[in-house]
Amino acid sequence: MEAEITYAEVKFKNASPTEEVEVTHVPQSCDKPAALQGNHTEWHCILAVHQGKGRDLKCCPEGWRPFQESCYYFSDNQMPWDKSQQNCSGMGSQLVVINTKAEQDFLYKEIQMKYQQKGKDFYIGLRAQKVGQWRWADQTPYNESAAFWRSGEPSNDPNELCVVIHHKTENLQNWNDVPCTTHSSRICETAAATL
């Protein structure tokens, strides 16, 4: 009986736990979310070091950015909030749910580095059914102490029930409520593959 051999060819740029590594082949047996299934041959990984438990790789396919336990996709095209959520869902993900200041900082830096000059705002997974009743796309309760609203926002306008990360800002406080029909880019999020 023949055994199938799978492997990962890993190129370490640096042994630091925060450095990215390139993986050119990911074993079919690894823990890959639905969004990451397919014929991806180029992966970006972060080496995760666990106290006393060794280390593993958190990987995302080409075009997705790894951070902690998740992969993030920054779209170039623009569409309304509902279509943005459907687009993310079609990739096995959802509009990003921001849980921590570290995650907000990561998203802010990505937008500043790559998209600020393009003048794009990005939908996140926060939406209200009624003014002030904010809810995340995955039904995570809204936590006001972990919100990053721009000064004067949310405006509590009944026509502005969806949220974008606004590109013109100098700090982490960059959320802005907008009409859900506004055409904006989006950030999708899914769990990273573990090697």
Side-chain angles (χ1 to χ4, degrees):
M1 182 172 158
E2 288 185 38
E4 182 180 326
I5 299 173
T6 58
Y7 65 94
E9 180 181 316
V10 180
K11 298 176 186 175
F12 290 88
K13 292 180 181 175
N14 189 328
S16 169
T18 59
E19 288 296 312
E20 289 185 33
V21 296
E22 291 179 33
V23 178
T24 56
H25 176 77
V26 176
Q28 292 301 316
S29 61
C30 81
D31 178 24
K32 288 190 287 188
L36 306 182
Q37 303 278 337
N39 297 323
H40 299 287
T41 58
E42 192 73 24
W43 294 74
H44 294 279
C45 302
I46 292 177
L47 183 63
V49 178
H50 307 286
Q51 290 181 341
K53 296 181 182 177
R55 50 175 114 181
D56 58 20
L57 293 173
K58 298 294 181 181
C59 301
C60 301
E62 184 69 32
W64 292 71
R65 297 288 300 144
F67 178 72
Q68 295 180 345
E69 304 290 321
S70 295
C71 298
Y72 300 85
Y73 178 79
F74 295 79
S75 74
D76 282 325
N77 61 349
Q78 300 179 338
M79 55 187 62
W81 194 94
D82 286 337
K83 295 248 186 231
S84 293
Q85 178 65 351
Q86 287 174 3
N87 181 271
C88 290
S89 180
M91 293 189 290
S93 62
Q94 66 183 12
L95 284 171
V96 64
V97 174
I98 302 169
N99 298 304
T100 66
K101 182 178 180 185
E103 186 176 21
Q104 173 72 7
D105 185 55
F106 163 76
L107 298 171
Y108 169 75
K109 287 177 180 173
E110 286 292 311
I111 291 170
Q112 291 296 304
M113 283 185 342
K114 297 178 181 167
Y115 300 100
Q116 186 179 27
Q117 299 301 324
K118 296 180 181 179
K120 292 185 177 184
D121 293 339
F122 289 84
Y123 274 124
I124 62 175
L126 190 60
R127 182 177 184 166
Q129 293 301 316
K130 292 182 181 178
V131 171
Q133 295 180 357
W134 300 106
R135 198 91 172 143
W136 288 103
D138 69 351
Q139 302 307 308
T140 298
Y142 171 70
N143 179 356
E144 196 168 320
S145 66
F148 301 93
W149 295 104
R150 292 175 67 200
S151 179
E153 300 293 341
S155 62
N156 294 320
D157 181 332
N159 296 312
E160 296 183 353
L161 300 176
C162 290
V163 180
V164 296
I165 290 180
H166 194 272
H167 71 282
K168 289 184 183 178
T169 188
E170 301 300 319
N171 60 47
L172 295 182
Q173 305 300 121
N174 58 15
W175 295 0
N176 187 40
D177 55 342
V178 298
C180 297
T181 56
T182 300
H183 282 65
S184 292
S185 297
R186 68 201 156 281
I187 304 170
C188 303
E189 176 183 15
T190 193
T194 301
L195 295 180

